[in-house]
Amino acid sequence: GDEFEGLLDRPGARERMLKELKVLSRARPHHKLKLVKALQERGEVVAVTGDGTNDAPALNHANVGLSMGKRGTAVAKEASDIVLLDDSFTSIVNAIMWGRGLYQNIQRFLLFQLTVNVSAMAIVLLGPVIGIELPLTVVQMLWVNLIMDTFAALALATEPPHPEVMSSRPRDPKAFIVTPEMARGIFGYGALFVAAMASMLLFIRGGGVSPRELTVFFCAFVMLQVWNLFNARRLGLNSSAFSGLAENRWFTGIVILILVGQILMVQFGGSVLRTVPLSAFEWALIVIGTSPVILIGEARRYLARRRLRSRTA
């Protein structure tokens, strides 16, 4: 401990010591606190575990303080951020994995939701310019919002954490929750959706707009978002969008619920939803015609996996 305190006052030796230090013996409470502060000054995210009263200053100053729930003192528990009820270090690993997984799920929902909002807003604005005053009615937009806000939030929030999150470095606490990768996905897929739907509006306007064509347009817009829900599920991962579906039955069930709800709304919505019943062939065409969204995502993830394998080979 005394040697550590002497090295802290020598810049060159201090930096090397902080990189190589493994064990600090005969450490006093202020030594632990100084070590936490020195590491934080280097830009490190510091976690401290402790169970005694003398650990309280370091627990309190760390980015994350973890105290022992069984043998820890009341002072240590009060100074910490997290109390380990079972005093097991394995619980720390699980807490980190679930914490990172939860944050990633929030990012997935934002990616999905902002993509929907960007494309829907652009389509509603472009409709009158193209010559179709209401490409999507108010009731249809309410249904889309119900699907994309409530159901999609449940589907993505129930995604279990993937072990891959543990290989990432701690994120910058000041970093914006929308990462550059997310921004590319939001505007990239948003632009793709707008281009596809605007082209469809131009096509149906040329032959006279009929209720059936507007129904197909509405269903195509919803199916684009459903396919993109699978892409959002794999944010931060390179595995297939369909891998691990058996582990999250909530996601599968919600997707089925969305599809069944969409079919029922279209087949029986009538004048309320401005829809007419579609044939099985038309439904198949809509599903196949919107599938490039997931195919593009799968191709990107496949190429990312190949690049990763080539680097590690």
Side-chain angles (χ1 to χ4, degrees):
D2 293 334
E3 182 185 357
F4 163 80
E5 197 159 15
L7 290 171
L8 278 179
D9 299 328
R10 295 159 52 191
R14 164 188 167 132
E15 193 65 23
R16 180 180 175 185
M17 180 266 294
L18 290 175
K19 286 182 180 179
E20 299 179 356
L21 180 63
K22 300 296 181 186
V23 178
L24 181 61
S25 62
R26 297 182 182 273
R28 299 184 179 91
H30 71 277
H31 289 155
K32 300 175 184 179
L33 181 59
K34 285 184 176 180
L35 176 58
V36 171
K37 289 182 176 179
L39 289 168
Q40 288 175 332
E41 287 170 5
R42 293 181 68 239
E44 303 285 356
V45 177
V46 184
V48 172
T49 61
D51 59 0
T53 302
N54 62 343
D55 296 319
L59 286 168
N60 186 54
H61 201 275
N63 296 94
V64 181
L66 302 109
S67 63
M68 304 302 166
K70 289 183 178 179
R71 63 179 184 273
T73 64
V75 175
K77 293 177 187 177
E78 186 66 28
S80 63
D81 302 294
I82 298 173
V83 178
L84 299 175
L85 298 178
D86 57 1
D87 287 11
S88 171
F89 282 91
T90 306
S91 298
I92 299 176
V93 178
N94 290 333
I96 293 171
M97 186 168 71
W98 277 92
R100 289 184 174 189
L102 176 61
Y103 187 82
Q104 207 169 54
N105 284 348
I106 296 171
Q107 288 182 310
R108 287 166 180 154
F109 174 69
L110 286 175
L111 167 65
F112 177 75
Q113 181 63 37
L114 291 174
T115 305
V116 174
N117 288 343
V118 166
S119 56
M121 180 178 65
I123 289 166
V124 170
L125 290 173
L126 281 174
V129 176
I130 292 173
I132 300 176
E133 187 175 349
L134 281 176
L136 295 170
T137 68
V138 174
V139 179
Q140 287 174 347
M141 286 299 295
L142 286 172
W143 169 241
V144 169
N145 281 329
L146 176 64
I147 295 172
M148 307 316 165
D149 286 347
T150 309
F151 293 159
L154 285 171
L156 295 173
T158 54
E159 190 67 24
H162 196 280
E164 275 186 41
V165 299
M166 297 303 288
S167 61
S168 305
R169 290 180 58 82
R171 63 180 176 84
D172 184 353
K174 298 178 182 177
F176 189 45
I177 191 169
V178 178
T179 64
E181 180 189 0
M182 291 172 63
R184 288 192 295 269
I186 290 165
F187 292 106
Y189 280 108
L192 177 66
F193 296 164
V194 171
M197 302 312 289
S199 301
M200 191 172 177
L201 287 177
L202 287 170
F203 176 78
I204 63 178
R205 188 198 64 173
V209 182
S210 67
R212 180 170 296 277
E213 288 172 330
L214 290 173
T215 301
V216 171
F217 178 85
F218 171 48
C219 293
F221 179 78
V222 170
M223 277 306 305
L224 285 174
Q225 312 311 327
V226 171
W227 285 124
N228 198 40
L229 186 61
F230 285 87
N231 285 330
R233 178 176 175 263
R234 293 287 93 179
L235 175 66
L237 303 172
N238 294 325
S239 52
S240 170
F242 301 101
S243 65
L245 281 178
E247 300 171 14
N248 188 356
R249 295 180 180 178
W250 275 95
F251 184 92
T252 307
I254 288 169
V255 169
I256 292 171
L257 180 63
I258 290 173
L259 294 175
V260 170
Q262 179 67 20
I263 292 171
L264 292 175
M265 296 286 275
V266 168
Q267 299 300 109
F268 305 103
S271 59
V272 176
L273 276 175
R274 197 189 65 183
T275 59
V276 296
L278 300 178
S279 66
F281 178 71
E282 288 171 320
W283 278 110
L285 283 179
I286 292 168
V287 172
I288 295 170
T290 54
S291 62
V293 174
I294 189 65
L295 296 177
I296 292 171
E298 287 293 278
R300 289 176 63 246
R301 287 183 286 273
Y302 172 74
L303 293 174
R305 290 197 297 273
R306 287 195 59 180
R307 285 195 299 268
L308 186 61
R309 282 197 295 266
S310 63
R311 287 178 196 162
T312 56

